[in-house]
Amino acid sequence: MFERFTDDARQVVKLAQEEARRLRHPWIGTEHLLLGILDEGHGPAAQALIGHGLTLTDLHGWITRITTPADDALDPDALAVIGIDLDQVRQATEASFGPGALDPKARRVMPKGHIPFTKRAKKTLELSLRESLALGHKYIGSGHLLLGLLRGGDGLAVRALVEAGVDLAALRADVTRRIPPKAA
């Protein structure tokens, strides 16, 4: 399937992997693909998303909030009630074990090399091929990737779009209109 990918679609997948690494996620999910589409910036999918009011900064912030676990175990106010100063504990811990030693995100071990796609992200790639074929295209571009995300209908990417107030049907029509009939 990847041999059908245009340069912009390949760039989206590369950027999705970079987003996963930056967020310290050991997977590439639909949310990373959506970030990759926006980060790519000039393809039909990015232009449709921008046209619907989405920005990479806003989307990145939303996904970070959703995918970063709350640090409920280290409540400074609760610890202060029993006489523990969290700042002092943090300073002592970092002095012994290094910066971010109490940060669960910093402790997450990232895989070297390839980061696997989630089942939902794999399904999105499969659906992008189906979208391409349904439009009579012999290639898969970033627009087809966005159509695959929308057709999947669930996952963090679609949830982010809905919560951002995007009309999914209008977005689908917009990106479909922007996809060129032949690979550029």
Side-chain angles (χ1 to χ4, degrees):
M1 173 184 356
F2 288 109
E3 66 274 0
R4 292 180 181 241
F5 274 40
T6 61
D7 289 342
D8 69 325
R10 290 174 199 269
Q11 183 67 11
V12 164
V13 172
K14 179 181 170 216
L15 292 167
Q17 182 175 17
E18 290 173 12
E19 289 291 350
R21 284 192 194 288
R22 187 156 47 108
L23 292 167
R24 301 191 60 76
H25 294 163
W27 71 87
I28 298 172
T30 60
E31 65 276 20
H32 304 108
L33 289 171
L34 184 59
L35 286 167
I37 288 169
L38 259 174
D39 197 8
E40 183 272 335
H42 66 272
Q47 292 304 305
L49 291 169
I50 292 165
H52 285 262
L54 289 172
T55 68
L56 184 60
T57 302
D58 290 342
L59 184 62
H60 195 274
W62 185 88
I63 289 172
T64 299
R65 284 189 304 279
I66 294 301
T67 60
T68 302
D71 194 4
D72 296 335
L74 299 175
D75 182 347
D77 295 331
L79 292 171
V81 168
I82 59 172
I84 298 173
D85 183 338
L86 182 57
D87 287 333
Q88 287 179 347
V89 170
R90 191 175 306 277
Q91 287 172 2
T93 303
E94 289 185 353
S96 296
F97 300 103
L102 293 177
D103 180 8
K105 190 175 175 183
R107 290 191 311 259
R108 190 178 296 151
V109 176
M110 288 298 299
K112 302 267 190 238
H114 175 74
I115 299 176
F117 288 96
T118 63
K119 286 182 183 181
R120 209 169 261 148
K122 288 178 187 176
K123 185 67 173 176
T124 294
L125 297 177
E126 177 188 322
L127 292 172
S128 68
L129 172 62
R130 290 184 186 186
E131 291 289 340
S132 172
L133 295 174
L135 292 170
H137 299 159
K138 296 180 189 272
Y139 70 96
I140 299 170
S142 67
H144 302 106
L145 291 174
L146 181 55
L147 290 174
L149 277 173
L150 295 171
R151 186 171 175 184
D154 54 9
L156 286 180
V158 170
R159 187 171 152 201
L161 294 171
V162 168
E163 290 193 17
V166 174
D167 178 335
L168 299 181
L171 177 60
R172 181 176 183 74
D174 187 16
V175 72
T176 301
R177 186 174 53 255
R178 292 173 188 262
I179 297 174
K182 295 187 182 206

